[in-house]
Amino acid sequence: MRSLRALKWLLLVVLLPLTLGWKVVARSTAGEQPTERNIQVAVGEFLVRQHFGVSISERVEEGRPAILASSGSCRVLVAKSPALGWDRDLIRRYADAEDRIFVVFRGRIYSDQPSFLTVFDALLTRFRRELGFRVQPNPVLAVVAKMSCDAERLPWDQLDFARY
């Protein structure tokens, strides 16, 4: 009984400083997270590289188009969508009959938001951030584009948020 009690105290004395030290070191090395504006700029730069003229909204709100890109008769609207997907139908109000709506997540194209993946990713990112790691968010982008644009064929996997 005494040896078990002594072992508990020994573990407490050893593990407590280790866990507190880990948090201090991790918090001091964790950098700034990219802002919504930085994500918006990264998407804008990507579309410029794809030969679009880009207009960026002053206000960034989830579910509202923050980027308007055009090239000739091709028009593309991009909005950041929340990971939980609660607004997946809100983006549809910006589309008309000639538009196609799709979601870009981790460089892949989805016809509908893969909520299971986006929620899991958001929770995992938050958990890692709480541990003090610097993790880049994986934004969920809702895209409305004219069917004639064939915007799904853009190299969305080349979107680079790591610089921000």
Side-chain angles (χ1 to χ4, degrees):
M1 184 80 156
R2 279 188 162 185
S3 62
L4 184 60
R5 190 177 192 116
L7 180 62
K8 284 181 183 179
W9 277 104
L10 178 63
L11 285 175
L12 180 67
V13 168
V14 170
L15 290 180
L16 185 63
L18 282 175
T19 59
L20 291 176
W22 169 261
K23 288 181 179 182
V24 169
V25 169
R27 294 246 184 235
S28 65
T29 59
E32 284 284 315
Q33 298 303 315
T35 64
E36 298 292 326
R37 187 59 146 180
N38 290 345
I39 292 168
Q40 186 182 22
V41 169
V43 173
E45 289 176 354
F46 164 77
L47 290 169
V48 166
R49 287 192 306 273
Q50 305 309 314
H51 309 290
F52 282 88
V54 175
S55 174
I56 296 178
S57 173
E58 287 296 319
R59 288 181 53 191
V60 179
E61 296 179 31
E62 287 183 332
R64 296 193 64 190
I67 297 170
L68 169 62
S70 59
S71 178
S73 64
C74 184
R75 173 193 60 114
V76 177
L77 299 172
V78 181
K80 186 171 179 300
S81 183
L84 298 178
W86 60 266
D87 75 336
R88 75 177 80 195
D89 291 328
L90 293 179
I91 194 69
R92 295 187 191 289
R93 67 181 165 186
Y94 298 102
D96 59 30
E98 294 128 26
D99 289 336
R100 186 169 292 152
I101 300 170
F102 60 94
V103 174
V104 177
F105 178 65
R106 290 186 170 176
R108 296 191 65 184
I109 308 299
Y110 298 91
S111 58
D112 202 18
Q113 183 168 333
S115 296
F116 180 78
L117 292 176
T118 60
V119 169
F120 179 75
D121 182 73
L123 292 173
L124 184 61
T125 299
R126 183 177 178 187
F127 176 70
R128 292 179 63 206
R129 196 175 295 142
E130 288 294 321
L131 288 176
F133 293 105
R134 182 167 190 229
V135 287
Q136 299 295 330
N138 291 303
V140 181
L141 303 174
V143 180
V144 177
K146 294 287 180 200
M147 285 186 205
S148 60
C149 294
D150 211 13
E152 294 99 326
R153 292 187 176 267
L154 291 174
W156 293 99
D157 59 336
Q158 293 177 8
L159 257 171
D160 182 19
F161 299 108
R163 295 186 309 152
Y164 301 97

